[in-house]
Amino acid sequence: MFEHKIIFTGPVGSGKTTLIKAFSDHDPVLTEVRPSDDVASMKNQTTVAMDYGSVVLDEETKVHMYGTPGQHRFDFMWEILSRGSMGLAILVNARAPDPLGDLRFYMEAFKKLIVEDRTPLVIGVNHIDKTNPHIAAADFKQVTDEFRPNIPVLLVDVREGKDVRRLIMSLLFAI
Ligand SMILES: Nc1nc2c(ncn2[C@@H]2O[C@H](COP(=O)(O)OP(=O)(O)O)[C@@H](O)[C@H]2O)c(=O)[nH]1
Ligand SMILES: [Mg+2]
């Protein structure tokens, strides 16, 4: 069996924990606590170390999914979690005040993986619904093109297994 480690990163509220909870074959390992800072006004649980889940996609493919903490003060975990990863997915919340700025921030933060190591990368734009019809994949592509050409940008609802599968498959195809 081929085992693949994939990292899910992105800002607080972009859906990393939701994705891993929804798609893991087993109860995920979550390190969620009540926020002690201004994140408390956004949600009542936040990831502090990592989320972990795994899924068997077919007879020969198992994917280990690691979600990073979103808050910058836990960014020391980002590099630790990234070691040995075969793919990176950046999730952004389309309803956030500045989703393009969020994407640029995470592209910069993971620049070594993205530009030097040429690790397979996919962007998942989450929380897409009728409230933000002005968001288009092309806007996000402009940002990724500044770093590396031909990065797939998928509009997703991470609560839907079929959408998460599309994200993961686009990374596996790029290996
Ligand atoms: N409406 C909507 N809500 C979503 C979607 N994805 C995640 N959520 C909700 O957004 C909230 C934040 O997600 P969470 O997984 O905690 O984000 P994290 O900080 O990246 O781990 C949760 O309440 C989810 O149920 C989506 O596509 N649409
Ligand atoms: Mg989380």
Side-chain angles (χ1 to χ4, degrees), residues 13 15-18 32 43 45-47 51 68-70:
K16 304 176 295 293
T17 300
T18 304
E32 294 201 296
K43 47 195 223 159
Q45 293 280 292
T46 192
T47 303
D51 300 321
T68 68

